[in-house]
Every structure is written in structure tokens, then in C-alpha cells.
Amino acid sequence: MKLSYEAYDQTGGAVTDTIEAPDAAEATEALRRSGLFVTQIHAARKAPPSAATTRKSIFGRGGGLKK
């Protein structure tokens, strides 16, 4: 399962990435072993739709607003 996480490294820098693991507990443990302090972890989502896709879904055929 692909999981997205937010964590801090040993210098206090923010890290956001994904990890492949059987579940969140195992992913968190692997990240801790690599020196990260995990603050959030959840199932990775698909990429958000592009602006063109969003405009098309809102306005119908993708032509935008008609004048």
C-alpha cells in the first residue's frame, strides 16, 4: 500500500513524501528507524485533476465561460 507522510528529520526540517508498506504502523516504524519523526501518515491519494480537467468538468465541454 502506498502511504503519504509528513515528518521532521533530525535537524528539524519538514519532509513530505510517500512510502510503500503493508500498513501505516510498519511505515511509521520504518521511517522512525531512518531518523524521521512522523507527524501524519495516510493512504496516498491520486493526483488532483489539472486545471483544464477541472474547468472541463465544471463548464461542460472545456470551453470555459461564453461571452
Side-chain angles (χ1 to χ4, degrees):
M1 137 185 278
K2 192 171 222 174
L3 299 159
S4 295
Y5 67 88
E6 293 179 19
Y8 290 98
D9 62 20
Q10 295 173 347
T11 65
V15 178
T16 302
D17 205 350
T18 59
I19 186 171
E20 188 72 33
D23 57 42
E26 288 191 35
T28 300
E29 183 59 31
L31 293 165
R32 284 184 184 157
R33 283 193 306 266
S34 69
L36 294 175
F37 176 75
V38 179
T39 58
Q40 291 188 30
I41 191 163
H42 50 82
R45 297 183 203 160
K46 294 181 181 179
S50 68
T53 303
T54 303
R55 185 171 45 250
K56 182 177 181 180
S57 66
I58 293 172
F59 295 113
R61 291 179 272 173
L65 295 173
K66 294 182 180 179
K67 292 183 179 184

